[in-house]
Amino acid sequence: VHEFAIAESLIKIATEQAAKNGAAGIFSVRVKVGKMTSVVPEALHFAFDTLSKGTLLEGAKLVIDEVPLTVSCAKCGKSSELDEPAFQCPHCSATDLKIVTGRELHVDSMEID
Ligand SMILES: [Zn+2]
């Protein structure tokens, strides 16, 4: 259910940006969503469509770029993409991993009128 809170803040950011640029409307908003955020894209689309009604973003297309979870291993130094958050290096089985990507949750770009 946190998709509604996320959509709300994305809409706020996009609206502020558009206002700053004197936009009459917004065609699309591209957001980066990392796998670690456990955001469900369908739920985010639904929340976005619902909450954008009556704002500059009404009718705007939400484009979600899903960012995979990648980690770098402190032991062998290799970077890997993990499918599941089973925090273990696929090369050496070490568990001392640093998250490189996968925590993103922000507006990447938008097309304004
Ligand atoms: Zn390793």
Side-chain angles (χ1 to χ4, degrees):
V1 192
H2 70 158
E3 279 82 1
F4 267 87
I6 292 162
E8 199 170 16
S9 84
L10 292 175
I11 288 168
K12 188 165 170 274
I13 291 160
T15 313
E16 282 170 4
Q17 278 296 320
K20 244 183 245 169
N21 290 296
I26 301 171
F27 296 123
S28 67
V29 179
R30 181 177 287 269
V31 297
K32 290 224 183 281
V33 177
K35 199 163 178 163
M36 283 293 283
T37 62
S38 49
V39 166
V40 179
E42 291 74 26
L44 188 57
H45 274 292
F46 176 73
F48 181 87
D49 288 346
T50 305
L51 295 173
S52 63
K53 287 204 173 75
T55 73
L56 262 183
L57 280 152
E58 184 165 352
K61 193 171 169 235
L62 178 68
V63 183
I64 298 175
D65 278 339
E66 288 186 83
V67 183
L69 170 62
T70 55
V71 295
S72 82
C73 175
K75 197 175 166 196
C76 72
K78 286 182 177 144
S79 291
S80 336
E81 202 172 293
L82 296 184
D83 272 337
E84 292 300 324
F87 274 82
Q88 199 169 44
C89 175
H91 302 285
C92 71
S93 300
T95 51
D96 189 3
L97 307 175
K98 187 171 157 278
I99 295 174
V100 181
T101 67
R103 279 184 170 147
E104 296 77 0
L105 188 53
H106 58 83
V107 175
D108 186 45
S109 63
M110 46 193 227
E111 262 187 290
I112 58 173
D113 190 0

